[in-house]
Amino acid sequence: MLEITDPHVIAISGAAHHPILTATGDPGDLVEGTALRLTPAELAAADAYEVGDYRRALVPLASGLKAWVYAADHGAREDDSSAG
């Protein structure tokens, strides 16, 4: 769970802790869910709502199609720790 500190997001969602996807690199790891078709405006609104701890990533679905998901934004921190 991700602790949210943005008061606006907490007020809208009603929760200070939100679930978050984390990439493992294991193709056997799956997440069940529902894919929704969004307009560009709806996708932009979702991007504006999500806090900086999330990043939008394009991932493959079991159907072979691809979809956007919001996942943990650990890339920059992991990249920084391996630099040197």
Side-chain angles (χ1 to χ4, degrees), residues 32-80:
E32 291 187 24
T34 301
L36 305 173
R37 186 176 305 270
L38 302 179
T39 66
E42 291 168 329
L43 188 57
D47 285 342
Y49 169 81
E50 293 300 347
V51 295
D53 295 305
Y54 290 91
R55 67 176 172 82
R56 182 162 43 103
L58 192 61
V59 299
L61 302 177
S63 66
L65 298 174
K66 292 186 178 181
W68 292 111
V69 300
Y70 290 95
D73 187 13
H74 297 302
R77 281 173 264 170
E78 290 172 0
D79 291 344
D80 291 344

Side-chain angles (χ1 to χ4, degrees), residues 4 9 31 37 52 60 83:
I4 303 297
V9 174
V31 175
R37 186 176 305 270

Side-chain angles (χ1 to χ4, degrees), residues 2-18 45-54:
L2 173 71
E3 182 176 6
I4 303 297
T5 58
D6 183 317
H8 180 69
V9 174
I10 295 169
I12 291 172
S13 69
H17 291 87
H18 293 198
D47 285 342
Y49 169 81
E50 293 300 347
V51 295
D53 295 305
Y54 290 91

